Amino acid sequence: MKGLIIKDIFALRQQGKILLALLVFYAVYSVVFQNLSMLAGMIVLLCVMLPVTTMAYDEKSKWDKYALSMPIPRKTIVLSKYLFAIIAEFLAVIIIGILGGIIVFFTGEMVIGEMLVMTLALGGAGLFFLALVLPILFKFGVEKARFIMLLAFFIPSMIVMMLPQLGIEPPSAQTLRFLGYLSPLIVAGLLLFSVKISIGIYNKKEF
């Protein structure tokens, strides 16, 4: 599995300069406009796209067909993608924590505690999104699943935005705090369920 993850990292080398440039741009933007949430959101989004990008490379090069000709269990291939996704989100949390801490220190935009909560929440949201999307990618492939991915991202966002217009009050602070405590268990459970579905899909898939 280690070799599979290293393969994905090498596949992303061409994207390194682009990602670094985007990171610098949004860091400067956050300092100038004192908008740390924008930087945090973009970092999480970029890291969410990393495993998707590696799957796109695999699909384009027909790597899965080659990999399955070697003694690599299908389950290992699936697990490597999930582990890579978790590593990417962990990296996002670290980057946000470091850059956010520096920005907060110089701008005083928010207190450190709020920044840490926001960072962990965004990291969890990224894993939640990947848990929903990865089975779809394994089922349909990246090219065919692009529209479904957009729906998976925009539909929940639209629902949240429409709640006030429908007269539905947002959850209370106590409810949000309770959900925050439960969120690690929810995300972990969803990831395990997602892994099981993806393994089932990949085991039946022909290349």
Side-chain angles (χ1 to χ4, degrees), residues 23-36 38-39:
L23 185 62
V24 172
F25 171 79
Y26 283 108
V28 173
Y29 178 93
S30 297
V31 172
V32 173
F33 294 98
Q34 295 191 9
N35 189 349
L36 179 58
M38 171 65 77
L39 173 65

Side-chain angles (χ1 to χ4, degrees), residues 113-127:
E114 292 178 352
M115 186 205 72
L116 291 176
V117 171
M118 178 190 69
T119 301
L120 294 175
L122 287 171
L127 288 176

